Amino acid sequence: MKRLILSIVCALCLCGLSSAANYLHVKTANGWQVFDLDKVDRLTFDGTTMKATDASGNTVATLPQKSLESISVNESAGIGAITADGAEATFSYDAASRTVTVLADGTFEIYGVDGVRLVAIPASKGEIISLGDLRPGATVFKSGAYTIKAIVK
């Protein structure tokens, strides 16, 4: 009975993050921003700023256009394993601020619990990745051989 209850609780926690989510990755001079495309309907550029708005025209984010370095969306991919015994940390995750600090050059990836890649960012050592718009739920963060499981709240 305890296993059944634990299984139900785990399943409910895992349902919180839909792997069908699409995310926009924006690299700026200050680091990376990740936006949920279910919340962003339109991107507009007025020569000085990039503005992301929702379907009702409400501003979701505004970024200085001169700070933009690249913009991309996630690609479909899978993850084979979620553990790397003895791997050296290549990033650190701060759950309180919902940010990742990159400790080594490489691709930083976020996967849903079903193995679908949600985010893939070619990050450099020292960059900060803001995950403020990432949907709550169970996730797998990966860069190089270093992988952690986290519950995003």
Side-chain angles (χ1 to χ4, degrees), residues 47-78:
T48 59
T49 58
M50 178 195 84
K51 184 163 76 170
T53 55
D54 64 15
S56 299
N58 300 314
T59 301
V60 175
T62 303
L63 299 170
Q65 196 167 330
K66 66 181 180 180
S67 74
L68 299 178
E69 295 181 13
S70 68
I71 299 174
S72 61
V73 294
N74 60 302
E75 302 172 16
S76 296

Side-chain angles (χ1 to χ4, degrees), residues 65-129:
Q65 196 167 330
K66 66 181 180 180
S67 74
L68 299 178
E69 295 181 13
S70 68
I71 299 174
S72 61
V73 294
N74 60 302
E75 302 172 16
S76 296
I79 185 169
I82 57 172
T83 59
D85 293 337
E88 184 175 334
T90 54
F91 62 90
S92 65
Y93 173 60
D94 181 355
S97 66
R98 295 183 75 174
T99 59
V100 170
T101 301
V102 179
L103 304 175
D105 294 349
T107 301
F108 175 77
E109 300 169 294
I110 301 174
Y111 292 87
V113 293
D114 59 358
V116 173
R117 185 169 63 186
L118 305 173
V119 172
I121 296 172
S124 299
K125 182 178 180 177
E127 287 187 318
I128 305 295
I129 302 171

Side-chain angles (χ1 to χ4, degrees), residues 1-15:
M1 186 63 157
K2 287 182 183 179
R3 286 186 181 177
L4 176 61
I5 292 171
L6 182 59
S7 297
I8 292 171
V9 170
C10 288
L12 290 173
C13 290
L14 297 178
C15 289

